[in-house]
Amino acid sequence: MGKLTLFIVSDSVGETADLVAKAAASQFRQGLETISMKRFSHVEDESQVAEIVYLAKQQQAIIIYTLVKMNMCLKLKEECQHKGIHCIDLLSPIVNQISLELSEQPLEEPGLVRQLDDDYFKKIEAIEFAVKYDDGRDPRGILKADIVLVGVSRTSKTPLSQYLAHKRFKVANVPLVPEVEPPEELYQIDPAKCFGLVISPEKLNFIRKERLIALGLKDDASYARLDRIEEEIIHFRNVIQKIGCTVIDVTNRAVEETANVILSEIVNRTK
């Protein structure tokens, strides 16, 4: 049985073409043993194309490629036809059909799939971080976070953490209670990445009563009393003053609005 060589040519890493080639080779009993593959990544110059086709001719190889730039595709096809080399275009037929259906020209930018994958994994990592360091579970997360949210109970710290995590920010949130000393890590971080969430006592009184009722409890518990809430907010302001961070009033704000305030603040600081 003869040996077969496949040249994998890509203007990015070449993982897509490599996986397709391996999938095809696996359909033959001795495919992976008799078929060798050589990957040529980040091919973005026509002179590289000419060299690769020359090597393919010397080794009697088949070229399998994923090139997003039309001029590069045409150059490779012309070189292969001239040298009598078999080449297989994995990407262009699909891209061209999608272009026709959408009436839109492709971007022709190499590596976009990899960028999307990296973006996805960063988002997942941020979401897992927000869950792990939610509600002050582990103060070590405060030092690792991109954003730290501080506030009394029921100021939307958890949903805000998750919303920001979907924007790829690692967020830790810390509840403040007068009877419990705040973690020392709060005073060790850069105040610029910390945001205190405050709410009017009346609004918080209403929210907490509704919460107790939803849990099947009486709404006159200490947790929902106005004097207790005012005590917590005084404690909150004392801690925030010591940290020196930005305070956001969330009384009449949706989670998305509060998140936009935080993101705008971060963007303005980087200008």
Side-chain angles (χ1 to χ4, degrees), residues 129 133 138-148 170-174 183-190 193:
F129 186 96
Y133 298 110
D138 186 346
R140 291 175 297 181
I142 296 170
L143 301 177
K144 302 174 184 177
D146 300 317
I147 298 171
V148 178
K170 294 180 179 178
V171 186
N173 73 76
V174 182
E184 280 300 315
E185 287 83 354
L186 270 183
Y187 305 118
Q188 298 170 11
I189 61 171
D190 180 357
K193 75 174 185 178

Side-chain angles (χ1 to χ4, degrees), residues 199-218:
I199 190 170
S200 73
E202 295 75 20
K203 180 71 172 180
L204 187 54
N205 173 251
F206 173 78
I207 292 172
R208 288 188 176 182
K209 281 185 175 182
E210 290 295 308
R211 176 62 175 166
L212 289 171
I213 292 170
L215 293 172
L217 303 172
K218 293 182 179 180

Side-chain angles (χ1 to χ4, degrees), residues 63-76:
I63 295 178
I64 298 172
Y65 62 99
T66 52
L67 299 170
V68 297
K69 294 183 179 179
M70 187 55 64
N71 66 305
M72 294 291 287
C73 285
L74 293 174
K75 176 65 175 177
L76 182 55

Side-chain angles (χ1 to χ4, degrees), residues 6-265:
L6 300 180
F7 278 15
I8 310 299
V9 180
S10 174
D11 44 24
S12 184
V13 179
E15 290 177 345
T16 302
D18 192 60
L19 285 171
V20 172
K22 286 178 180 176
S26 69
Q27 294 300 307
F28 301 89
R29 289 176 183 172
Q30 298 184 44
L32 294 176
E33 295 176 7
T34 60
I35 299 174
S36 63
M37 300 182 192
K38 296 182 180 180
R39 192 190 300 190
F40 298 84
S41 303
H42 305 291
V43 177
E44 297 185 54
D45 188 87
E46 291 189 1
S47 62
Q48 292 175 280
V49 169
E51 291 174 7
I52 291 168
V53 174
Y54 174 80
L55 290 173
K57 179 67 174 179
Q58 296 296 311
Q59 299 180 31
Q60 296 184 321
I62 295 173
I63 295 178
I64 298 172
Y65 62 99
T66 52
L67 299 170
V68 297
K69 294 183 179 179
M70 187 55 64
N71 66 305
M72 294 291 287
C73 285
L74 293 174
K75 176 65 175 177
L76 182 55
K77 288 177 183 177
E78 288 173 3
E79 289 287 337
C80 286
Q81 287 174 357
H82 181 69
K83 294 286 197 302
I85 299 297
H86 292 294
C87 63
I88 302 168
D89 185 349
L90 295 180
L91 206 55
S92 294
I94 301 171
V95 171
N96 292 339
Q97 189 60 44
I98 292 173
S99 178
L100 286 172
E101 295 292 334
L102 297 180
S103 300
E104 181 181 339
Q105 292 301 309
L107 296 172
E108 295 192 6
E109 293 180 20
L112 290 181
V113 168
R114 193 170 184 83
Q115 289 177 27
L116 289 171
D117 287 344
D118 289 345
D119 186 66
Y120 172 77
F121 286 115
K122 284 178 183 176
K123 183 187 291 187
I124 296 300
E125 185 181 0
I127 292 169
E128 290 175 346
F129 186 96
V131 171
K132 184 175 181 179
Y133 298 110
D134 180 47
D135 207 31
R137 289 175 186 168
D138 186 346
R140 291 175 297 181
I142 296 170
L143 301 177
K144 302 174 184 177
D146 300 317
I147 298 171
V148 178
L149 305 176
V150 182
V152 300
S153 175
R154 312 310 296 176
T155 49
S156 300
K157 295 186 300 300
T158 295
L160 183 56
S161 295
Q162 286 295 322
Y163 186 92
L164 290 168
H166 278 80
K167 303 291 183 181
R168 297 170 299 285
F169 288 94
K170 294 180 179 178
V171 186
N173 73 76
V174 182
L176 295 181
V177 183
E179 294 78 15
V180 180
E181 278 295 312
E184 280 300 315
E185 287 83 354
L186 270 183
Y187 305 118
Q188 298 170 11
I189 61 171
D190 180 357
K193 75 174 185 178
C194 184
F195 294 87
L197 308 179
V198 72
I199 190 170
S200 73
E202 295 75 20
K203 180 71 172 180
L204 187 54
N205 173 251
F206 173 78
I207 292 172
R208 288 188 176 182
K209 281 185 175 182
E210 290 295 308
R211 176 62 175 166
L212 289 171
I213 292 170
L215 293 172
L217 303 172
K218 293 182 179 180
D219 65 359
D220 59 352
S222 172
Y223 173 74
R225 287 208 320 263
L226 201 56
D227 58 342
R228 168 63 185 184
I229 289 171
E230 289 173 344
E231 180 187 353
E232 289 185 30
I233 291 177
I234 290 171
H235 174 67
F236 162 83
R237 292 196 181 280
N238 289 336
V239 172
I240 291 302
Q241 187 175 18
K242 190 174 178 181
I243 296 171
C245 67
T246 300
V247 176
I248 302 172
D249 191 334
V250 300
T251 302
N252 295 308
R253 281 195 172 104
V255 168
E256 295 86 350
E257 293 176 290
T258 306
N260 287 335
V261 172
I262 292 172
L263 295 175
S264 295
E265 185 82 15

